[in-house]
Amino acid sequence: MIEYRALTVRQPWAGAIAHQNKRVENRSWKLPAKHHGTRLLIHAAAQPDRDAFVYGPNLDVYSAIVAVATVKESHWTSDGTCCGPWGFENTHHWVLSDVTALSEPIQGVKGRLGIWTPDTSLVNAVDAQLLLRTTTERAAA
């Protein structure tokens, strides 16, 4: 079983990670070294970022796990240009890879500040969706 951690991200940013090409998460704090390479459950917070201007489908899911991603690296940037249109200036950029959107968001999940450890039932629900997706993709190939 893969060991997961979780990160709460406000909408529309969580949806942009899951369903668009947002592959950087902007944070005011440095990613702890022990979390480089960690598989993160992307949790859509209960409240939106009212200052964000991102449009598209699937950006209106709240209090739910919407995707899984790997934190590939982390770096500081003063100008924000290193990570395309999603990178903010004067922040730590957490670069994400292997992003997989869940076909059905796992609703009713309460988030937390920082990187948090999801409970076993949540991990099992995520693993079940990922296994079903892999099985379906193999059958279609």
Side-chain angles (χ1 to χ4, degrees):
M1 178 165 66
I2 296 173
E3 186 174 336
Y4 294 105
R5 293 295 181 255
L7 182 68
T8 299
V9 179
R10 289 185 184 256
Q11 287 287 32
W13 308 118
I17 291 169
H19 301 286
Q20 295 181 18
N21 65 347
K22 184 176 188 286
R23 296 297 177 261
V24 62
E25 174 57 15
N26 300 285
R27 291 284 155 159
S28 61
W29 48 286
K30 183 179 179 180
L31 178 72
K34 68 180 181 179
H35 291 301
H36 283 253
T38 296
R39 286 294 278 167
L40 287 177
L41 304 183
I42 303 300
H43 174 261
Q47 299 296 319
D49 179 346
R50 300 206 186 277
D51 295 326
F53 295 102
V54 177
Y55 303 98
N58 304 305
L59 304 177
D60 58 351
V61 176
Y62 297 93
S63 299
I65 301 297
V66 296
V68 180
T70 301
V71 184
K72 188 167 76 172
E73 66 172 280
S74 170
H75 58 267
W76 170 261
T77 181
S78 57
D79 67 8
T81 60
C82 59
C83 291
W86 299 105
F88 291 176
E89 59 186 32
N90 297 315
T91 61
H92 292 277
H93 288 176
W94 298 9
V95 180
L96 305 174
S97 65
D98 304 320
V99 176
T100 303
L102 297 183
S103 54
E104 291 295 324
I106 300 171
Q107 300 282 345
V109 179
K110 185 175 180 175
R112 295 172 189 81
L113 294 175
I115 296 173
W116 48 278
T117 303
D119 64 37
T120 303
S121 63
L122 182 55
V123 168
N124 290 341
V126 168
D127 280 342
Q129 278 201 45
L130 296 177
L131 179 62
L132 178 62
R133 181 181 184 134
T134 302
T135 304
T136 303
E137 287 171 356
R138 285 185 186 154

